[in-house]
C-alpha cells in the first residue's frame, strides 16, 4: 500500500496523486495543550518552592485561656493563680 494513486483520464494520461505530507492537526493541538499544562504544573512547583523559602512560617491560632487551663489540668500541672 503506497501513498500514490493512479488515475487514467480520457487521454490515457496517468495522473499521480500523493497525499499531503504534513503534521496531523490533532497532534499539534495535543502537543500545545500538553506543553501548556506541563508549563503550568512546573511553574506552580517553582512558585511553591520559592514560597517555602521566603515566606515566614504560619502563625498558630491563639489558644483560649479555657483550653490552656484544660490542657494543663490534663498534664497534671496546676494553672498559675489557682
Amino acid at each position: 500500500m503506497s501513498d500514490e494513486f493512479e488515475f487514467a483520464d480520457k487521454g490515457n494520461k496517468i495522473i499521480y496523486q500523493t497525499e499531503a505530507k504534513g503534521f496531523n492537526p490533532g497532534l499539534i493541538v495535543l502537543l500545545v495543550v500538553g506543553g501548556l499544562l506541563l508549563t503550568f504544573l512546573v511553574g506552580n512547583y517553582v512558585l511553591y518552592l520559592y514560597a517555602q523559602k521566603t515566606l515566614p512560617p504560619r502563625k498558630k491560632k491563639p489558644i483560649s485561656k479555657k483550653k490552656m487551663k484544660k490542657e494543663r489540668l490534663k498534664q497534671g500541672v496546676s494553672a498559675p493563680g489557682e
Side-chain angles (χ1 to χ4, degrees), residues 19-32:
E19 281 187 37
K21 296 188 183 203
F23 291 110
N24 185 356
L27 179 65
I28 293 173
V29 170
L30 185 68
L31 288 174
V32 168

Side-chain angles (χ1 to χ4, degrees), residues 28-44:
I28 293 173
V29 170
L30 185 68
L31 288 174
V32 168
V33 171
L36 289 173
L37 181 65
L38 187 66
T39 304
F40 176 75
L41 292 174
V42 169
N44 275 344

Side-chain angles (χ1 to χ4, degrees), residues 4-5 13 15 22 29 37 39 41-43 56-58 70 73:
E4 296 180 353
F5 300 100
K13 294 179 185 173
I15 302 168
V29 170
L37 181 65
T39 304
L41 292 174
V42 169
R58 293 179 69 185
K70 204 182 261 188
L73 286 174

Side-chain angles (χ1 to χ4, degrees), residues 37-63:
L37 181 65
L38 187 66
T39 304
F40 176 75
L41 292 174
V42 169
N44 275 344
Y45 183 68
V46 169
L47 284 174
Y48 170 76
L49 290 178
Y50 175 73
Q52 290 294 315
K53 290 179 184 177
T54 57
L55 293 177
R58 293 179 69 185
K59 293 181 181 177
K60 293 182 180 177
K61 290 182 180 178
I63 302 172

